[in-house]
Amino acid sequence: MAARRALKAVLVDLNGTLHIEDTAVPGAQEALKRLRGAPLTVRFVTNTTKESKRDLLERLTRLGFDIAEHEIFTSLTAARNLLEQQQVRPLLLVDDKALPDFTGIGTDNPNAVVVGLAPEHFHYEMMNKAFRLILEGAPLIAIHKARYFKKKDGLCLGPGPFVTGLEYATDTKATVVGKPEKTFFLEALRGTGCAPEEAVMIGDDCRDDVGGAQQAGMRGILVRTGKYRPADENKINPAPYLTCENFPEAVEHILKQML
């Protein structure tokens, strides 16, 4: 077996790993400062479609995290890139707070369907509109297909069940642009000069964060915060490179064992 290449980059999930809504994971700010003190490139990757990148950055700044906008790669960015490449006009099923990330994208007379997390729009009339567009040939684009996510009051349905419902009803398959897609992770690394074998991903979603990263050639560290459920480690093959209690513990392992 080939020797593992030296670690050069760390990809970090946001909600569930560094914070849960407006509450930081205990010790996460200081752990991030320690991580930045190492000779590593740090990038932040998220599937969130509940808010624009600008709003997300403001939230993180309020919580005391030192993060620059260019360091964040979101599934909204990946979706916008695809829409521009395909030159389509989407029916956007995303939270209204995420709409600024699609400024300039034409939406009149839509000929594509884009689904993110949109609790206010997941009602019969809107889902039926999406259904009819897809039947007429509109591509179905899923920003991601997460089964659920974590809020302060518990787990909540993600966009995955709604995307799957449209797939079932129209006998089609969605194009997924966010985690766990390999292209998402490779895009997040673009510009860092790092190969996937030189990177590790830290996240609370065993499938989308860890499983996706490992399929892309990275190592994956699962944290037992956010949406983590007991025995999540057993849901993917290969198993996570490592499972830690939280982000600070993951950083400690990286600094002591991976450099």
Side-chain angles (χ1 to χ4, degrees):
M1 185 176 176
R4 171 64 70 169
R5 292 160 73 172
L7 186 68
K8 293 183 180 179
V10 181
L11 301 186
V12 184
D13 174 52
L14 292 172
N15 190 52
T17 301
L18 289 188
H19 70 104
I20 297 172
E21 296 186 295
D22 287 321
T23 302
V25 169
Q29 298 98 324
E30 184 58 36
L32 179 57
K33 290 178 184 177
R34 293 186 64 209
L35 186 63
R36 288 196 183 279
L40 296 166
T41 297
V42 182
R43 291 290 183 268
F44 304 89
V45 291
T46 176
N47 268 351
T48 187
T49 60
K50 299 187 296 294
E51 57 194 345
S52 67
K53 183 191 284 191
R54 184 66 55 85
D55 288 345
L56 175 61
L57 182 61
E58 289 177 0
R59 180 196 298 266
L60 293 167
T61 301
R62 286 197 305 271
L63 292 176
F65 291 105
D66 180 19
I67 296 174
E69 185 170 356
H70 77 272
E71 295 178 310
I72 302 174
F73 186 66
T74 78
S75 53
L76 291 173
T77 302
R80 184 191 176 100
N81 291 346
L82 181 63
L83 292 172
E84 290 177 336
Q85 290 166 14
Q86 295 190 351
Q87 297 185 326
V88 292
R89 303 177 304 277
L91 172 68
L92 289 170
L93 296 184
V94 299
D95 194 293
D96 291 346
K97 293 179 182 176
L99 290 176
D101 282 6
F102 295 95
T103 298
I105 297 288
T107 56
D108 292 337
N109 190 24
N111 60 356
V113 175
V114 174
V115 182
L117 184 63
E120 299 302 316
H121 300 302
F122 287 154
H123 53 76
Y124 186 85
E125 183 179 350
M126 185 61 74
M127 295 298 287
N128 204 47
K129 182 177 180 179
F131 164 71
R132 289 176 175 177
L133 281 171
I134 298 166
L135 284 183
E136 292 167 3
L140 172 59
I141 300 169
I143 299 180
H144 64 93
K145 288 181 72 176
R147 293 165 169 82
Y148 49 84
F149 67 102
K150 180 66 180 285
K151 292 181 68 173
K152 288 180 183 177
D153 60 356
L155 295 176
C156 301
L157 280 176
F162 300 93
V163 173
T164 301
L166 287 171
E167 289 178 320
Y168 177 75
T170 60
D171 197 23
T172 190
K173 277 292 180 186
T175 297
V176 183
V177 297
K179 297 179 288 186
E181 296 303 300
K182 180 178 180 179
T183 51
F184 179 88
F185 290 100
L186 297 182
E187 277 292 303
L189 281 180
R190 196 160 60 131
T192 67
C194 302
E197 296 78 15
E198 298 168 323
V200 64
M201 171 76 204
I202 306 172
D204 65 317
D205 189 313
C206 67
R207 295 183 180 94
D208 290 356
D209 294 332
V210 177
Q214 293 188 159
Q215 290 299 321
M218 307 177 191
R219 280 170 282 187
I221 299 178
L222 180 65
V223 291
R224 296 188 179 102
T225 53
K227 72 192 309 183
Y228 173 84
R229 305 277 287 168
D232 272 357
E233 302 92 324
N234 303 324
K235 294 179 179 177
I236 59 172
N237 184 24
Y241 160 76
L242 183 71
T243 301
C244 294
E245 287 303 314
N246 48 40
F247 177 70
E249 186 178 296
V251 169
E252 184 74 10
H253 176 85
I254 289 171
L255 298 179
K256 289 188 174 180
Q257 304 294 332
M258 300 181 73
L259 296 181

